[in-house]
Amino acid sequence: MHLTSTIAGKIGDGVKKTESVFSLACIYRVPEELRKLKESAYTPRLISIGPLHREDKHLQTPLQHVKMSYANHLFSRLTAGMEDHESALHTMTTVLQNCLAGMRASIDVAKKFYAEEVTLDEEMMLIDGCFILEFLYRFPTFDGQKRDPIFGNTLTLSNVKNDLVLLENQIPFFVLEKLFQLTVGEIRNRPDENWSLTNYLRRCYDFKMSHENKESISYCHILHNLQDWYRPVAETLTGKPLISEGILMPSASELKYAGVKFVPDEKNKNLFKFSEPKGLFRMCGRPRFKIPTLTLYNETELYLRNLIAFEQSCPGIPAYVTSYVFVMDTLVNSDSDIKVLEKAKVMSNYLGAREDATRVFNKICKEAALGGDFFFAGTCSQATKYSKRFWPRYIAASKIYGNPWMFRAFFVGFVSFVISVVQFARSFFRKY
């Protein structure tokens, strides 16, 4: 009985600890199997946010003091235009006290957002949060006239932007929202009175990957906010595996040779949409594979890797980005596939050689798992079934769509054959 009671107690403690750790946890260490593929994609270069990289030696640079300067600038915006120095000082002091009180009251909840035990205090959350808000507020308005340690250097600016979206470099989104209301929300005569924190993020990162989301969502952190931009429209959501009936969707060049026309989705309503021609002459038409244009920069891989790591680590987070990248990986098997997507204006490659773009998609999905959580099975199934039909396979074999000269030769030969048949028929009937 004593042993039973002891084991039952341990089980009960395990349940409580599990509920305590994972009830709100959404900020994780990147799984080792993903980190070893490209460690630099998950490690902050210049700025530490939150507790996980606070003690990293390579981040102990003068740039860390910039966070204090940015926080001071944010508070100064609240007193802009005030002529009375004492009133301005009183306003700044009051706002600072309110922010510290709000952070102090948020510590216990904020700790639950981390999947491991961390040390948090109100000063850390205040400085890091205000730095992010000032950075986002300053992003489109910086005129370059003042010396700025971040905006005055293009490489530094790019690295800071990248650091703010790393999975391990996050603070809870509700902390940012609370500080946003206490600071940015109180700035007098700001040009964007009705803008939210999400709108400031969209202006800064300008992803434009998916449809405009009008739903109210409780985000975990900045990375979660960006991840939601990949969310497909409801009617395209499925939960089937990528491989259907043992057949993997053909690559972009194979689909093109089968007659498929890739089209950029300028309105970004769907991440992927496959539609076949309809009507009496549908056999003469070409199906359309709509994809929003993806612009490949040096930082694109970093964004995608951290979004995938977030989906792979955090329970309950739909694998929108992982599904998206799996489809792109299927479409891109070689440099010729990149060429097809570039020519169709579905992809803009600023990485340089096509080999670099191919390498990104061929490596980024390694060690990632989808299971049954794949959101574009319907589209992939449509494209696969179309490519298996007799006529598309015949077109693929002849590569008519891939070679205009071959198409012209085929057309000329076909016309010559018809003329020969007509001439033979006319001569035959004249003779008899």
Side-chain angles (χ1 to χ4, degrees):
M1 289 296 294
H2 176 71
L3 179 60
T4 302
S5 177
T6 301
I7 294 177
K10 290 182 178 180
I11 292 175
D13 290 341
V15 171
K16 292 180 180 178
K17 289 181 179 180
T18 299
E19 292 177 350
S20 174
V21 172
F22 293 102
S23 59
L24 294 175
C26 56
I27 303 174
Y28 287 74
R29 297 277 187 182
V30 174
E32 188 60 32
E33 58 270 21
L34 295 180
R35 175 179 287 280
K36 66 183 180 182
L37 295 176
K38 193 167 185 176
E39 185 171 359
S40 61
Y42 309 105
T43 305
R45 295 186 178 185
L46 296 178
I47 294 288
S48 66
I49 299 295
L52 298 184
H53 288 276
R54 180 68 54 176
E55 303 301 326
D56 287 9
K57 291 184 179 180
H58 76 281
L59 296 177
Q60 305 304 315
T61 66
L63 199 60
Q64 296 302 311
H65 301 298
V66 174
K67 291 194 291 187
M68 297 287 187
S69 174
Y70 268 49
N72 179 66
H73 275 287
L74 184 63
F75 289 118
S76 296
R77 294 184 186 277
L78 297 168
T79 61
M82 286 188 179
E83 297 181 359
D84 187 344
H85 177 72
E86 291 187 2
S87 296
L89 182 60
H90 176 73
T91 298
M92 286 187 63
T93 303
T94 301
V95 173
L96 178 59
Q97 290 175 342
N98 292 338
C99 288
L100 283 171
M103 295 302 95
R104 192 177 301 113
S106 303
I107 289 177
D108 290 339
V109 176
K111 285 182 177 180
K112 295 180 180 180
F113 277 65
Y114 295 86
E116 61 184 72
E117 187 174 344
V118 296
T119 300
L120 279 180
D121 57 63
E122 59 268 29
E123 179 182 337
M124 178 191 298
M125 293 195 297
L126 173 70
I127 299 301
D128 286 357
C130 287
F131 164 74
I132 293 173
L133 296 180
E134 172 64 19
F135 177 83
L136 295 176
Y137 192 90
R138 189 178 300 196
F139 186 82
T141 60
F142 183 71
D143 56 13
Q145 295 179 0
K146 298 179 181 179
R147 292 181 61 86
D148 187 285
I150 294 179
F151 288 86
N153 186 300
T154 303
L155 181 59
T156 300
L157 175 61
S158 176
N159 284 330
V160 170
K161 279 186 64 178
N162 294 344
D163 284 349
L164 295 184
V165 300
L166 303 182
L167 176 58
E168 297 180 356
N169 216 33
Q170 301 293 317
I171 58 175
F173 202 75
F174 85 90
V175 170
L176 289 175
E177 288 184 310
K178 183 174 290 188
L179 289 172
F180 183 90
Q181 296 301 325
L182 292 172
T183 57
V184 178
E186 296 297 324
I187 295 176
R188 299 185 302 172
N189 300 321
R190 61 189 176 96
D192 42 20
E193 289 290 340
N194 297 321
W195 272 39
S196 66
L197 177 56
T198 293
N199 286 327
Y200 275 79
L201 284 168
R202 296 195 175 197
R203 181 174 59 182
C204 178
Y205 288 95
D206 193 28
F207 265 26
K208 295 182 181 178
M209 288 300 302
S210 188
H211 67 291
E212 186 74 15
N213 178 25
K214 297 181 180 179
E215 296 183 26
S216 178
I217 295 178
S218 180
Y219 296 112
C220 299
H221 39 64
I222 288 178
L223 187 64
H224 186 199
N225 191 296
L226 303 188
Q227 186 258 359
D228 188 58
W229 301 357
Y230 283 83
R231 182 158 58 94
V233 292
E235 56 265 27
T236 65
L237 298 181
T238 59
K240 299 178 182 179
L242 177 61
I243 299 177
S244 177
E245 300 177 358
I247 302 296
L248 193 65
M249 187 177 70
S251 67
S253 55
E254 291 172 333
L255 287 174
K256 180 189 175 183
Y257 291 150
V260 175
K261 182 178 182 180
F262 289 94
V263 180
D265 185 0
E266 297 178 357
K267 295 183 179 179
N268 298 321
K269 289 185 176 180
N270 302 284
L271 288 176
F272 300 102
K273 185 177 181 181
F274 187 87
S275 58
E276 297 186 39
K278 298 179 180 180
L280 182 62
F281 298 99
R282 61 182 181 276
M283 293 295 293
C284 301
R286 298 177 63 181
R288 297 159 67 88
F289 202 140
K290 275 191 172 185
I291 307 175
T293 299
L294 172 65
T295 303
L296 286 177
Y297 296 108
N298 289 328
E299 60 267 23
T300 304
E301 182 179 0
L302 178 144
Y303 292 156
L304 294 176
R305 283 189 177 276
N306 278 273
L307 289 165
I308 290 174
F310 172 53
E311 293 178 347
Q312 296 287 299
S313 304
C314 190
I317 298 298
Y320 302 140
V321 180
T322 310
S323 297
Y324 168 81
V325 176
F326 260 88
V327 176
M328 294 302 296
D329 183 31
T330 304
L331 289 173
V332 176
N333 287 333
S334 64
D335 301 343
S336 61
D337 298 314
I338 296 292
K339 183 178 180 180
V340 168
L341 298 178
E342 284 180 337
K343 190 173 181 180
K345 298 183 179 180
V346 167
M347 181 180 295
S348 297
N349 178 24
Y350 290 94
L351 296 178
R354 292 194 176 105
E355 292 85 350
D356 296 330
T358 304
R359 194 178 301 113
V360 167
F361 289 108
N362 291 165
K363 290 186 176 182
I364 201 169
C365 282
K366 286 186 177 180
E367 302 297 339
L370 268 177
D373 193 16
F374 179 68
F375 292 100
F376 307 110
T379 300
C380 293
S381 178
Q382 284 180 288
T384 303
K385 289 179 180 178
Y386 174 84
S387 67
K388 291 169 62 179
R389 295 175 187 169
F390 171 76
W391 178 247
R393 281 188 294 158
Y394 173 74
I395 296 297
S398 63
K399 297 184 180 180
I400 288 177
Y401 285 117
N403 190 330
W405 291 103
M406 187 171 292
F407 175 79
R408 293 170 186 173
F410 171 81
F411 181 76
V412 171
F414 179 77
V415 171
S416 299
F417 172 75
V418 172
I419 293 175
S420 299
V421 171
V422 171
Q423 289 177 341
F424 174 79
R426 291 180 63 184
S427 62
F428 178 81
F429 286 112
R430 284 178 181 175
K431 184 176 181 180
Y432 295 98

